[in-house]
Amino acid sequence: PPSPSWTKEETMAYWINAYNAFTVDLILQHYPVKSILDIDKGKLWDDAFIKIGENRFTLNNIENDILRKQYSDARIHFAINCASKSCPKLLNEAYTAEKLDEQLNAQAKNFVNDPSRNEIGVGKVSVSKIFDWYKEDFSKGGGVIEFLNQFSNTRIQSTAAISYLGYDWTLNE
């Protein structure tokens, strides 16, 4: 488990890596499966199947109680992966304290500009349900449009209409 002497970046990278590793492991234990929602009737996020040290965690504990609550960084939504097609792509390396800010920025930029996950226009955007489900996280930085404009290749007008795309829970093989 993380040590109290670790830096914020070391601890955050640890929990992102743990979330992703345990999600991949869960899929491998149940493979072949069409969707992560097919595991435990879709209630897997509340199963305390993650043992770290003497403690047990759920995916929801790691995402909501640790990453979202302790770090208040909306970019984590593009770092953790739910093994579904509409999720951000899984980074092909571990998150590290030394590169965490760079890795989170790259993941956010890649996700925001991925036309299979978001449709970005100057006056209208159709974006991932992630931006709706976690609207409060994106509001801390001024709102969804302001957040998108930090990473989007297209400058979006502040008055742009926002709609949310459907979420494809099919396994992202």
Side-chain angles (χ1 to χ4, degrees), residues 1-2 8 12 16 21 33 40-41 51 60 64-66 75 86 89 99 106 108 125 148 150 163 168:
K8 171 189 166 189
M12 191 172 174
I16 291 169
V33 64
D40 195 25
K41 299 176 185 167
K51 188 171 186 325
N60 273 333
N64 298 312
D65 302 332
I66 297 172
R75 298 175 302 170
S86 289
K89 292 180 181 174
K99 296 182 357 185
V125 296
L148 290 168
Q150 292 177 56
S163 61
D168 185 349

Side-chain angles (χ1 to χ4, degrees), residues 18-28 36 49 59 81-83:
Y19 185 100
N20 289 336
F22 282 104
T23 300
V24 169
D25 186 56
L26 185 70
I27 294 297
L28 292 173
I36 194 168
F49 71 94
L59 288 171
N81 188 283
C82 68

